[in-house]
Amino acid sequence: MTKIIRAAQRATKQQPPASFTGTVYADEVVVGEKPSRMRATRVTFTPNVRTHWHTHPVGQTLYCMTGTGRYQEHGKGAVELLPGDTVVIPPGAKHWHGAAPGVLFCHLAMSEVSDTGEGTKWLEAVSDADYMKKPG
Ligand code: MN
């Protein structure tokens, strides 16, 4: 049956501080019902805030909506993200994403859990030195 979920039914949630360097807000877009494994969340990073390093079992797609962001895959340089950009992250790739220094950043994060229900695997924090390196 078709379902219409109204914005007013869902409050913005603050993301757990264990996986981010500061305040991050999450607005759930959809959590698919079986057999769907689709998950989409609008994520707003406050200035200077980024995720810790992490991996996704079946990858992740980010669609950049507002502000200026950064993305880095481990072993490569960071890249700047602008509204309208899409980042397709392969399964198991260690990476982080977040706001550029001094500005808000909002992206739509789309991912699926694995066959076995496995989700994001969180790793260590991104150092200030890594974060402050100018993107290529
Ligand atoms: Mn990610």
Side-chain angles (χ1 to χ4, degrees), residues 15 20 24-27 41-45 65 105-109:
Q15 292 289 66
F20 300 85
V24 174
Y25 296 106
D27 291 286
T41 308
R42 188 175 70 228
V43 183
T44 304
F45 296 85
M65 299 173 77
F105 177 59
C106 176
H107 66 42
L108 185 65

Side-chain angles (χ1 to χ4, degrees), residues 54-57 59 71-74 89-96 123:
H54 62 283
T55 62
H56 304 283
Y71 169 80
Q72 185 177 16
E73 188 173 320
H74 195 253
I89 303 162
K94 180 176 172 181
H95 69 281
W96 63 267
L123 305 164

